[in-house]
Amino acid sequence: MEEELRAIAEKLEALRRDLPDGGRHVDSIAEDMSAEVVDSNPYSRLMALQRMGIVQNYERIREFSVAIVGIGGVGSVAAEMLTRCGIGRLLLYDYDTVELANMNRSGMLISHHVRLSHFVGMTKTDAAVQTLSDINPDSYSLNITTVKGFETFMESLKRKSSLMPAHCSGVDLVLSCVDNYEARMVVNQACNELNQPWMESGVSEDAVSGHIQLLIPGETACFACAPPLVVASGVDERTLKREGVCAASLPTTMVSTFCCFTLAFVFIDNDIDLYYDFHVQKIFCFSFLKCRR
Amino acid sequence: MEGWDSSTKSALTQIPLLATRAGPRDGAAWTQRLKEEYRALIAYSGMNKANDNDWFRISAANPQGTRWTGRCWYVHNLRRYEFDVQFDIPVTYPATAPEIELPQLDGKTQKAGHPDLPLRRDLELRIITVIMYRGGKICLTVHFKPLWAKNCPRFGIAHALCLGLAPWLAAEVPILVDSGMVKHKDDEASSAET
């Protein structure tokens, strides 16, 4: 048995040597991020941030992994934006399948000149992976609110990736892009148990207001104690309806801001906002509760 | 409980309340919670039968008691409409309520609109698009979830059926039948023959 295994391993090694790149896994993560500010460099505008002193070492983004829960209007666009920023690793979670009504929101699903109808019926995670195949995200088509789904969710958040440097464990940040209270509570539960920082997002149904909330277990109140409505308004939580479905769904402002916060979380070492709330029709937004990291 | 009919109110007061705050990951405490769930369900079911208002059968579909399946029915215009009913116990139970599904009504159950922020309440909100739930999930947000949140952990599955599913059937089945979305099984059989 042992002999056989050794023979197979040797054969595998020989095959690997025959590969054009000598068996090294080629992917975008292996490429260098050039700091040269020229039009031909895809990273030049990002690396400029480093030259301006906004961030110390932009290439650190390659070492960051982000889990996105909910690949809908917010999640799919956030995944694409973070990919464009060069994020090291993405984990995607959704239990749903694609339908045509998703078209206005899931921009990533229709990019690359592929008609959305091509994706209809696919799980949202598969569709997202196809679009983001350059960075090869891990994807999970499962319902995290069930006992079994929750276990898989927890295990996958803990798992280290072979592509990441040894000092990185699990994920750096979880982004909650879900549309209901139950799923938010599940993300909250998992992150509390894993001592995992996460960000909650929500868009109002008519798409003109939204919020982002950073939750750090042990430092901030958890989502169960301080859901966004309570933080925003100070009203009695029990008087509130708790579900946040997203029907009109034009959350572009929301996602851009969300990704901006994610990058701030990754790079900015001092003050970052714990809570952000915006309201388009009243030309109003506020953020407060500065957190020194 | 304003706006609720007197029979629902009286049924509610007679369903035993639960005491153990435990979810499916809590081991022995969950077993205790399951016992309380069954006690409440048996009391509620017995009460319905005594009042000639028997309207559901439900039981755990796995030994851990995390998945529940059964049947429920509603009488409209002297005809009985019967549906499968199923739900999982969420991992965050009882902080969050089970999401009850009627799988035969996949694509026919409407999602009510709910603004996510209180700031929106002062503006009139018009829902242009009608969004449907997947898998026949029924909308519990407005009439049931605030009650569940207020009464955690005292409410259980029996309360979810009494305050969540029963009023939903009473409100939605007549609309589904009158609009032709749901057909009586006798009519379905005859239309298949012709």
Short mmCIF file of all heavy atoms in Angstrom, two decimals, chain B residues 59-82:
data_model
loop_
_atom_site.label_atom_id
_atom_site.label_comp_id
_atom_site.label_asym_id
_atom_site.label_seq_id
_atom_site.Cartn_x
_atom_site.Cartn_y
_atom_site.Cartn_z
N SER B 59 -45.02 17.42 13.75
CA SER B 59 -44.12 16.68 14.63
C SER B 59 -42.69 16.86 14.15
O SER B 59 -42.46 17.24 12.99
CB SER B 59 -44.48 15.20 14.65
OG SER B 59 -44.39 14.68 13.36
N ALA B 60 -41.76 16.56 15.01
CA ALA B 60 -40.35 16.68 14.65
C ALA B 60 -40.03 15.63 13.59
O ALA B 60 -40.46 14.48 13.69
CB ALA B 60 -39.46 16.49 15.87
N ALA B 61 -39.26 16.04 12.58
CA ALA B 61 -38.95 15.13 11.47
C ALA B 61 -37.58 14.51 11.65
O ALA B 61 -37.17 13.67 10.85
CB ALA B 61 -39.01 15.88 10.15
N ASN B 62 -36.83 14.90 12.67
CA ASN B 62 -35.54 14.25 12.96
C ASN B 62 -35.40 14.11 14.48
O ASN B 62 -36.06 14.81 15.25
CB ASN B 62 -34.37 15.02 12.33
CG ASN B 62 -34.26 16.44 12.83
OD1 ASN B 62 -35.02 16.86 13.72
ND2 ASN B 62 -33.34 17.20 12.28
N PRO B 63 -34.53 13.21 14.92
CA PRO B 63 -34.40 12.95 16.36
C PRO B 63 -33.93 14.17 17.16
O PRO B 63 -34.27 14.32 18.33
CB PRO B 63 -33.34 11.84 16.43
CG PRO B 63 -33.22 11.27 15.07
CD PRO B 63 -33.65 12.32 14.12
N GLN B 64 -33.17 15.06 16.51
CA GLN B 64 -32.68 16.24 17.22
C GLN B 64 -33.77 17.30 17.41
O GLN B 64 -33.58 18.27 18.15
CB GLN B 64 -31.51 16.90 16.46
CG GLN B 64 -30.32 16.01 16.20
CD GLN B 64 -30.52 15.09 15.00
OE1 GLN B 64 -31.28 15.40 14.08
NE2 GLN B 64 -29.87 13.93 15.01
N GLY B 65 -34.90 17.11 16.72
CA GLY B 65 -35.99 18.08 16.84
C GLY B 65 -35.67 19.41 16.19
O GLY B 65 -36.21 20.45 16.59
N THR B 66 -34.80 19.41 15.16
CA THR B 66 -34.46 20.68 14.52
C THR B 66 -35.25 20.93 13.25
O THR B 66 -35.25 22.02 12.71
CB THR B 66 -32.96 20.75 14.17
OG1 THR B 66 -32.65 19.64 13.31
CG2 THR B 66 -32.10 20.67 15.41
N ARG B 67 -35.93 19.88 12.75
CA ARG B 67 -36.77 20.08 11.57
C ARG B 67 -38.16 19.55 11.89
O ARG B 67 -38.30 18.47 12.47
CB ARG B 67 -36.18 19.36 10.36
CG ARG B 67 -37.03 19.56 9.11
CD ARG B 67 -36.28 19.29 7.83
NE ARG B 67 -37.13 19.57 6.68
CZ ARG B 67 -37.32 20.79 6.17
NH1 ARG B 67 -36.72 21.83 6.72
NH2 ARG B 67 -38.11 20.99 5.13
N TRP B 68 -39.18 20.31 11.51
CA TRP B 68 -40.55 19.95 11.82
C TRP B 68 -41.38 19.93 10.54
O TRP B 68 -41.23 20.79 9.68
CB TRP B 68 -41.15 20.95 12.82
CG TRP B 68 -40.52 20.85 14.17
CD1 TRP B 68 -39.23 21.16 14.51
CD2 TRP B 68 -41.14 20.36 15.37
NE1 TRP B 68 -39.01 20.90 15.85
CE2 TRP B 68 -40.16 20.41 16.40
CE3 TRP B 68 -42.42 19.88 15.68
CZ2 TRP B 68 -40.43 20.01 17.71
CZ3 TRP B 68 -42.68 19.49 16.99
CH2 TRP B 68 -41.70 19.55 17.98
N THR B 69 -42.22 18.90 10.42
CA THR B 69 -43.08 18.81 9.24
C THR B 69 -44.48 18.39 9.67
O THR B 69 -44.66 17.80 10.74
CB THR B 69 -42.56 17.75 8.25
OG1 THR B 69 -42.41 16.52 8.94
CG2 THR B 69 -41.23 18.14 7.63
N GLY B 70 -45.45 18.70 8.83
CA GLY B 70 -46.83 18.30 9.14
C GLY B 70 -47.80 18.82 8.09
O GLY B 70 -47.40 19.12 6.95
N ARG B 71 -49.05 18.92 8.48
CA ARG B 71 -50.10 19.40 7.58
C ARG B 71 -50.89 20.48 8.32
O ARG B 71 -51.01 20.46 9.54
CB ARG B 71 -51.08 18.26 7.24
CG ARG B 71 -50.44 17.09 6.53
CD ARG B 71 -50.23 17.31 5.07
NE ARG B 71 -51.46 17.24 4.29
CZ ARG B 71 -51.51 17.62 2.99
NH1 ARG B 71 -50.43 18.09 2.40
NH2 ARG B 71 -52.64 17.52 2.31
N CYS B 72 -51.48 21.40 7.54
CA CYS B 72 -52.40 22.35 8.13
C CYS B 72 -53.52 22.57 7.12
O CYS B 72 -53.37 22.28 5.94
CB CYS B 72 -51.71 23.67 8.46
SG CYS B 72 -51.12 24.56 7.02
N TRP B 73 -54.67 22.97 7.62
CA TRP B 73 -55.79 23.18 6.69
C TRP B 73 -56.64 24.35 7.12
O TRP B 73 -56.61 24.78 8.27
CB TRP B 73 -56.63 21.90 6.55
CG TRP B 73 -57.09 21.33 7.86
CD1 TRP B 73 -58.25 21.59 8.51
CD2 TRP B 73 -56.39 20.36 8.66
NE1 TRP B 73 -58.33 20.86 9.66
CE2 TRP B 73 -57.21 20.10 9.79
CE3 TRP B 73 -55.16 19.70 8.55
CZ2 TRP B 73 -56.84 19.20 10.80
CZ3 TRP B 73 -54.79 18.81 9.56
CH2 TRP B 73 -55.62 18.57 10.65
N TYR B 74 -57.38 24.89 6.15
CA TYR B 74 -58.22 26.06 6.40
C TYR B 74 -59.51 25.90 5.59
O TYR B 74 -59.47 25.49 4.43
CB TYR B 74 -57.50 27.34 5.99
CG TYR B 74 -58.29 28.58 6.31
CD1 TYR B 74 -58.32 29.09 7.62
CD2 TYR B 74 -59.02 29.24 5.33
CE1 TYR B 74 -59.06 30.22 7.92
CE2 TYR B 74 -59.75 30.38 5.62
CZ TYR B 74 -59.77 30.86 6.93
OH TYR B 74 -60.50 31.97 7.23
N VAL B 75 -60.63 26.18 6.20
CA VAL B 75 -61.91 26.04 5.50
C VAL B 75 -62.37 27.41 4.99
O VAL B 75 -62.45 28.37 5.75
CB VAL B 75 -62.98 25.43 6.44
CG1 VAL B 75 -64.33 25.38 5.74
CG2 VAL B 75 -62.55 24.03 6.87
N HIS B 76 -62.60 27.46 3.68
CA HIS B 76 -63.05 28.70 3.04
C HIS B 76 -64.23 28.36 2.14
O HIS B 76 -64.14 27.45 1.32
CB HIS B 76 -61.90 29.30 2.23
CG HIS B 76 -62.28 30.50 1.42
ND1 HIS B 76 -62.81 31.65 1.98
CD2 HIS B 76 -62.21 30.73 0.08
CE1 HIS B 76 -63.04 32.53 1.01
NE2 HIS B 76 -62.69 31.99 -0.15
N ASN B 77 -65.33 29.07 2.30
CA ASN B 77 -66.56 28.78 1.55
C ASN B 77 -66.95 27.30 1.63
O ASN B 77 -67.24 26.67 0.60
CB ASN B 77 -66.43 29.19 0.08
CG ASN B 77 -66.43 30.70 -0.05
OD1 ASN B 77 -66.89 31.42 0.86
ND2 ASN B 77 -65.94 31.20 -1.17
N LEU B 78 -66.87 26.75 2.84
CA LEU B 78 -67.26 25.37 3.12
C LEU B 78 -66.37 24.32 2.45
O LEU B 78 -66.72 23.15 2.38
CB LEU B 78 -68.73 25.11 2.74
CG LEU B 78 -69.75 26.03 3.40
CD1 LEU B 78 -71.15 25.74 2.87
CD2 LEU B 78 -69.73 25.88 4.92
N ARG B 79 -65.22 24.76 1.94
CA ARG B 79 -64.30 23.78 1.36
C ARG B 79 -62.98 23.83 2.12
O ARG B 79 -62.51 24.90 2.51
CB ARG B 79 -64.06 24.09 -0.12
CG ARG B 79 -65.32 23.99 -0.94
CD ARG B 79 -65.04 24.33 -2.36
NE ARG B 79 -64.91 23.14 -3.19
CZ ARG B 79 -64.66 23.20 -4.49
NH1 ARG B 79 -64.47 24.35 -5.09
NH2 ARG B 79 -64.59 22.09 -5.20
N ARG B 80 -62.41 22.64 2.26
CA ARG B 80 -61.19 22.53 3.06
C ARG B 80 -59.95 22.57 2.15
O ARG B 80 -59.82 21.79 1.21
CB ARG B 80 -61.25 21.21 3.83
CG ARG B 80 -60.02 20.90 4.63
CD ARG B 80 -60.32 19.73 5.54
NE ARG B 80 -59.15 18.90 5.74
CZ ARG B 80 -58.87 18.28 6.88
NH1 ARG B 80 -59.71 18.36 7.90
NH2 ARG B 80 -57.81 17.53 6.98
N TYR B 81 -59.06 23.51 2.43
CA TYR B 81 -57.80 23.63 1.69
C TYR B 81 -56.67 23.17 2.59
O TYR B 81 -56.51 23.70 3.69
CB TYR B 81 -57.58 25.07 1.23
CG TYR B 81 -58.63 25.52 0.24
CD1 TYR B 81 -59.86 26.04 0.69
CD2 TYR B 81 -58.42 25.38 -1.12
CE1 TYR B 81 -60.83 26.42 -0.22
CE2 TYR B 81 -59.40 25.76 -2.03
CZ TYR B 81 -60.60 26.28 -1.58
OH TYR B 81 -61.57 26.66 -2.47
N GLU B 82 -55.92 22.18 2.13
CA GLU B 82 -54.92 21.57 2.99
C GLU B 82 -53.52 21.75 2.41
O GLU B 82 -53.32 21.66 1.20
CB GLU B 82 -55.24 20.08 3.14
CG GLU B 82 -54.56 19.45 4.32
CD GLU B 82 -55.12 18.08 4.68
OE1 GLU B 82 -56.33 17.84 4.46
OE2 GLU B 82 -54.34 17.25 5.18
#
